[in-house]
């Protein structure tokens, strides 16, 4: 089992819809969870971090964490074509320093 | 704003050459990381460093070495480049290993 798993997609949604991106992780003691956005040919940039169960909202983005189910998700409301990118989930993992482990990413396309 | 810079955006080398990729961060972060990113494989950790002159192997250290002589600078060395090391190389830094990582722009290395 991979430490951090994401559906690779591609996920396509129409402009204005809600995009839902999901991530599961294997380490029950993980405490830090992050969503990054990566445009084609660019480096990842942080969108949100979440540490506690429940929802965390920032503008059009909502991160949801359920530690019991080992599940973290990202909702993008009112999706825009500029949201088209690959979204990476990162979780602090099993490494010696509990450094982040990244999922392989979900490719999102927002159709005008 | 955290700034992480990498010495080159694009690099073309020949098989057997010694290759140096340099990364500099300006936020006094203790931790620095080198990843490679390949289609379908996501971000894979090569090495990380949690202090000057300290380093730890990541998931795929074979064929690579690193150097950290100063806190702000972390170098990745390919002792004898091979074609299977053609990839996007990303450097990142963070205040703590389990915390948010800030990425440089990446170096796209092609080994012919």
């Amino acid at each position: 089992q991979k430490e951090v798993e994401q559906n690779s997609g591609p996920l396509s949604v129409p402009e204005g819809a809600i995009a839902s991106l999901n991530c599961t992780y294997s380490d029950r003691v993980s405490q830090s969870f992050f969503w990054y956005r990566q445009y084609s040919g660019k480096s990842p940039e942080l969108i949100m971090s979440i540490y506690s169960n429940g929802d965390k909202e920032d503008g059009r983005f909502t991160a949801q964490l359920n530690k019991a189910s080992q599940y973290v998700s990202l909702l993008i409301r009112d999706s825009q074509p500029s949201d088209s990118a690959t979204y990476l989930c990162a979780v602090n993992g099993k490494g010696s320093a509990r450094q982040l482990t990244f999922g392989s990413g979900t490719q999102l396309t927002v159709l005008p | 704003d955290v700034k992480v810079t990498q010495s080159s955006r694009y690099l073309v080398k020949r098989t057997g050459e010694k290759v140096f990729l340099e990364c500099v961060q300006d936020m006094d972060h203790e931790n620095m990381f080198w990843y490679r990113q390949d289609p379908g494989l996501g971000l894979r950790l090569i090495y990380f460093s949690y202090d000057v002159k300290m380093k730890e192997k990541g998931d795929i250290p074979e064929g690579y070495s690193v150097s950290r002589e100063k806190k702000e600078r972390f170098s990745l060395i390919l002792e004898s480049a091979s074609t299977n090391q053609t990839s996007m190389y990303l450097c990142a830094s963070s205040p703590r290993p389990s915390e948010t990582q800030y990425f440089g722009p990446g170096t796209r290395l092609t080994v012919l």
Side-chain angles (χ1 to χ4, degrees):
Chain A
Q1 181 188 6
K2 288 185 180 178
E3 288 186 46
V4 180
E5 292 207 55
Q6 298 179 252
N7 287 330
S8 60
L11 172 67
S12 294
V13 300
E15 184 174 355
I18 295 175
S20 177
L21 303 162
N22 304 315
C23 174
T24 58
Y25 60 95
S26 63
D27 188 353
R28 289 193 168 274
V29 300
S30 292
Q31 297 292 324
S32 309
F33 306 87
F34 306 90
W35 282 101
Y36 287 80
R37 177 177 61 201
Q38 186 175 24
Y39 291 114
S40 180
K42 303 293 186 182
S43 59
E45 55 179 335
L46 180 72
I47 300 175
M48 292 190 71
S49 58
I50 187 167
Y51 304 95
S52 304
N53 277 329
D55 294 0
K56 179 181 178 182
E57 188 174 315
D58 183 0
R60 294 186 297 111
F61 298 96
T62 298
Q64 299 175 317
L65 175 61
N66 183 327
K67 291 184 180 179
S69 300
Q70 295 175 238
Y71 178 95
V72 57
S73 64
L74 180 71
L75 301 178
I76 307 174
R77 290 183 301 281
D78 188 23
S79 295
Q80 302 296 310
S82 58
D83 295 325
S84 299
T86 296
Y87 290 80
L88 303 173
C89 171
V91 178
N92 77 305
K94 296 180 178 177
S96 57
R98 300 198 60 76
Q99 65 271 17
L100 300 189
T101 297
F102 287 81
S104 56
T106 298
Q107 185 180 345
L108 172 68
T109 300
V110 180
L111 303 169
Chain B
D1 275 354
V2 176
K3 191 164 185 182
V4 181
T5 57
Q6 295 184 228
S7 50
S8 306
R9 290 301 308 275
Y10 299 94
L11 207 53
V12 179
K13 295 292 182 181
R14 296 212 173 269
T15 302
E17 282 193 79
K18 191 168 186 176
V19 182
F20 293 87
L21 303 181
E22 294 202 321
C23 175
V24 178
Q25 52 97 1
D26 67 356
M27 281 302 292
D28 203 34
H29 284 167
E30 303 286 340
N31 303 276
M32 297 187 74
F33 306 82
W34 274 108
Y35 296 90
R36 64 177 284 177
Q37 187 174 34
D38 301 288
L41 297 178
L43 280 167
R44 293 183 291 168
L45 181 64
I46 304 171
Y47 268 97
F48 73 98
S49 169
Y50 50 90
D51 201 352
V52 175
K53 297 190 187 293
M54 307 301 287
K55 62 186 179 186
E56 282 208 24
K57 293 180 180 179
D59 300 319
I60 52 163
E62 296 79 18
Y64 303 94
S65 62
V66 290
S67 172
R68 192 164 180 204
E69 297 295 321
K70 293 185 178 181
K71 192 175 186 179
E72 67 270 19
R73 189 180 298 268
F74 191 34
S75 300
L76 180 69
I77 303 155
L78 288 67
E79 295 289 343
S80 178
S82 64
T83 55
N84 63 12
Q85 292 178 310
T86 292
S87 186
M88 170 70 91
Y89 289 87
L90 290 160
C91 175
S93 73
S94 75
R96 284 172 295 280
S98 61
E99 273 302 321
T100 302
Q101 292 184 15
Y102 300 89
F103 286 85
T107 296
R108 186 164 294 281
L109 172 68
T110 301
V111 182
L112 301 175

